[in-house]
Amino acid sequence: MIGLAAACGGGGTGGGGESGGTYSYQLGEPENPFLPANTTESEGHKVLTALWTQLVTFDQDGNLTYDGVAESVTSDDNTTWTVTLKPDWTFHDGTPVTAESYVRAWNYGALSTNAQGASYFFENIQGYDDLQAPEDGQPAATEMSGLRATDDSTITVTLKEPFSIYPVTLGYTAFDPLPDAFFNDPTGFGRRPIGNGPFMAQEDWVPNQGFTVVRYDNYSGSEPAQADGVEFRVYTEPTTAYNDVQAGNLDLMKTLPPDALGTAEQTFGDRYLQEPRPSITSLAFPTYDQRYADPRVRQAISMGIDRGAIAESIFLGSRTAARSFVSPVVEGYREDACATTCDLNVEQANQLLDEAGFDRSQPIDLWFNAGGGHEEWMLALGNQLRTNLGVEFNLRGDLQFAQYLPLQDERGMTGPFRAGWIMDYPSMYSFLQPLYGTAALAPAGSNVTFYSSPAFDQAISDGNNAPDVDAATAEYQRAEDILITDMPATPLFYELDQMVWSPRISNIEYLVNGDIDLAAVTVD
């Protein structure tokens, strides 16, 4: 199986009190209502992982396991796949989870007129193209020809071409099922979703506040929820959330504000956990803006940044400088892949700006979302560009997460912008195709730089069709090399997740995909 990469193992706190009780968990305001095919950002994803269980799962080393809904995912040719479901799974409204629950959900997600942000996850299924409406027209079909439910427990998927890591992709929430109730009232469902996971929603989501989900007692998975419920509580500022954990007014927080990084372990003791996060922070470029259309300009800005200095001075070592487009936790990662353009080189950077005719009299807009603790490090980055490249900058950090992301989709960035990405599943592919592939162009995908390269797309396709793991890895690395030359974004940091919690809870388990196992948390 290609792409079943060894990833950094999760950690956790042992022990655990008795089951029961409700605990609170901090998050930012999600961008969209809670639909699996339209939740592609971290905050909404936290909620989805409590309300749904995926087809396949992963162990702490990133290996594919079948602790989800699927009994097996098999193929003789890596093109036609059979997904066999386990029996007796139900949605929170008591209706059965069947093969048709997946087929209808995937067709809905793929249909362009539904404008689902994860639509591109279905683009390799035969018939997907017929669901994409031409400009000023309607789609030729509403169902993919390569997708069908042969009986209640069997899904047959025929892809456009071989894709050896297809079973791995099914561990992502975009492939979650939908009950009949969704199709009767999609708007209401988005406020109070009905999933198949360990927790269920019994109230509507309140924007900028959150909601509480409760344990689903008829859950069919092997690890039911230990707590009675989880209160998802929205915070606009991480410092406020951190203060609440210290005061005992919030139970669980993941990703701390920068000013707490150096003292959190001492403050919380054994109620502190640090783990490598399977993610990357990049400075993305609006390639649609003529000022940043020349790759030499993008390379120059990359060479004008001292990542290591920012990691040490701002993040106190909780970030490391990134020199690859992929995370160290996946197979195929090369430590120095981007060394020539990701290392500080002031002389070369200025030469490239001169060659490209870059107008240094106009400041660079640096975009980032408010409430994420990004202002301090973006200010440091801007100061480096001023010193190293002789260009002024404007900080554009006034939009909350839920407003910032749609502006990216709308080509609204007027300069380089902060971009974060957590892998959807343990594979090098997850850091490349979803962010830079032509099929993933926003708003139907997560390619918000609007970069498009036939050579990159072909290298990804060649990797998907490779006969073995080594050959696939070589092609994915070739795709990464193309990115290093074209530089639609520049890698900045790899992160360490730092989690803190109140004395009320225990058994905090960090999963390989960067989630906290909310079902495992116990309330003492």
Side-chain angles (χ1 to χ4, degrees):
M1 189 64 62
I2 298 173
L4 297 184
C8 291
T13 67
E18 297 179 357
S19 301
T22 296
Y23 66 94
S24 51
Y25 184 29
Q26 169 263 347
L27 76 162
E29 178 69 19
E31 178 185 8
N32 296 312
F34 300 112
L35 306 182
N38 203 34
T39 298
T40 59
E41 41 77 29
S42 59
E43 305 312 291
H45 182 77
K46 293 175 184 176
V47 178
L48 258 63
T49 56
L51 299 180
W52 269 273
T53 294
Q54 287 65 60
L55 281 165
V56 302
T57 52
F58 305 98
D59 66 19
Q60 295 289 11
D61 292 322
N63 299 307
L64 182 70
T65 59
Y66 286 94
D67 289 334
V69 183
E71 182 73 41
S72 63
V73 182
T74 58
S75 177
D76 292 330
D77 58 5
N78 290 337
T79 300
T80 299
W81 293 88
T82 300
V83 182
T84 303
L85 307 182
K86 296 173 183 174
D88 302 326
W89 279 76
T90 58
F91 289 105
H92 298 149
D93 61 0
T95 59
V97 175
T98 67
E100 190 64 27
S101 307
Y102 288 93
V103 169
R104 293 186 73 189
W106 297 3
N107 280 322
Y108 183 91
L111 187 62
S112 64
T113 51
N114 291 329
Q116 300 294 282
S119 174
Y120 65 97
F121 277 88
F122 309 104
E123 63 90 19
N124 56 357
I125 300 176
Q126 282 188 8
Y128 173 87
D129 295 342
D130 292 334
L131 274 63
Q132 309 312 300
E135 188 173 354
D136 299 324
Q138 291 296 314
T142 58
E143 297 179 354
M144 290 179 282
S145 59
L147 179 65
R148 59 193 179 97
T150 55
D151 56 44
D152 283 349
S153 61
T154 309
I155 307 165
T156 300
V157 186
T158 303
L159 305 180
K160 298 174 184 175
E161 62 181 13
F163 188 29
S164 296
I165 69 166
Y166 187 68
V168 180
T169 70
L170 300 181
Y172 184 49
T173 52
F175 295 96
D176 288 343
L178 291 171
D180 291 342
F182 164 77
F183 300 95
N184 297 329
D185 182 12
T187 301
F189 186 97
R191 294 191 300 266
R192 188 184 302 187
I194 301 168
N196 66 330
F199 292 99
M200 61 183 290
Q202 288 189 323
E203 59 187 15
D204 285 0
W205 175 267
V206 179
N208 300 309
Q209 294 184 34
F211 68 177
T212 298
V213 300
V214 300
R215 179 170 54 216
Y216 179 47
D217 290 331
N218 292 323
Y219 179 63
S220 297
S222 59
E223 298 183 4
Q226 298 301 300
D228 290 335
V230 183
E231 178 195 354
F232 289 99
R233 190 184 301 172
V234 172
Y235 285 83
T236 58
E237 293 295 335
T239 299
T240 304
Y242 186 73
N243 291 338
D244 274 359
V245 180
Q246 288 183 290
N249 298 322
L250 174 68
D251 290 314
L252 180 58
M253 181 179 187
K254 176 172 172 277
T255 308
L256 308 185
D259 58 2
L261 298 176
T263 59
E265 184 172 12
Q266 181 179 359
T267 300
F268 284 87
D270 61 2
R271 292 184 288 112
Y272 166 92
L273 179 64
Q274 177 174 285
E275 288 289 336
R277 191 182 197 200
S279 67
I280 189 169
T281 297
S282 301
L283 189 69
F285 296 101
T287 62
Y288 48 83
D289 187 313
Q290 189 58 38
R291 195 178 190 202
Y292 303 98
D294 192 324
R296 292 174 296 182
V297 171
R298 306 193 293 259
Q299 291 172 0
I301 292 174
S302 176
M303 293 180 187
I305 300 169
D306 188 340
R307 296 151 176 79
I310 296 175
E312 287 301 320
S313 63
I314 305 297
F315 296 113
L316 304 178
S318 67
R319 305 286 189 274
T320 57
R323 303 166 87 198
S324 169
F325 279 82
V326 304
S327 168
V329 307
V330 298
E331 183 177 346
Y333 163 75
R334 296 170 293 170
E335 182 178 1
D336 295 324
C338 187
T340 56
T341 47
C342 292
D343 285 349
L344 181 66
N345 189 333
V346 176
E347 182 179 355
Q348 179 68 13
N350 281 282
Q351 180 178 333
L352 287 171
L353 284 186
D354 290 341
E355 290 175 0
F358 186 78
D359 183 2
R360 303 189 200 218
S361 69
Q362 299 299 314
I364 292 176
D365 287 342
L366 295 175
W367 288 83
F368 57 95
N369 58 289
H374 305 305
E375 183 167 4
E376 189 174 0
W377 71 262
M378 285 294 279
L379 175 60
L381 188 150
N383 285 331
Q384 289 183 352
L385 296 182
R386 175 198 287 145
T387 299
N388 296 332
L389 303 183
V391 60
E392 291 294 331
F393 65 94
N394 297 318
L395 292 183
R396 303 294 302 273
D398 54 334
L399 297 179
Q400 292 293 327
F401 197 55
Q403 289 78 47
Y404 178 74
L405 295 180
L407 192 62
Q408 293 180 4
D409 291 349
E410 297 161 6
R411 303 189 183 208
M413 299 290 102
T414 57
F417 54 99
R418 177 258 172 192
W421 185 256
I422 303 175
M423 71 179 186
D424 301 320
Y425 39 82
S427 170
M428 192 177 179
Y429 179 93
S430 181
F431 287 92
L432 300 177
Q433 168 65 15
L435 291 176
Y436 306 109
T438 301
L441 289 171
S446 297
N447 181 351
V448 292
T449 65
F450 290 87
Y451 166 80
S452 179
S453 164
F456 173 83
D457 294 338
Q458 186 60 54
I460 291 292
S461 178
D462 291 344
N464 296 344
N465 284 275
D468 55 48
V469 172
D470 291 341
T473 298
E475 295 299 338
Y476 292 148
Q477 289 173 339
R478 184 165 65 87
E480 183 185 15
D481 290 339
I482 294 169
L483 294 182
I484 292 166
T485 298
D486 292 347
M487 200 61 66
T490 182
L492 293 178
F493 311 114
Y494 300 124
E495 300 182 41
L496 293 173
D497 260 334
Q498 293 180 308
M499 295 145 275
V500 295
W501 55 93
S502 76
R504 294 185 62 247
I505 63 173
S506 58
N507 204 38
I508 312 302
E509 296 289 339
Y510 189 77
L511 302 176
V512 69
N513 63 359
D515 293 327
I516 293 176
D517 187 349
L518 299 181
V521 175
T522 57
V523 180
D524 297 337

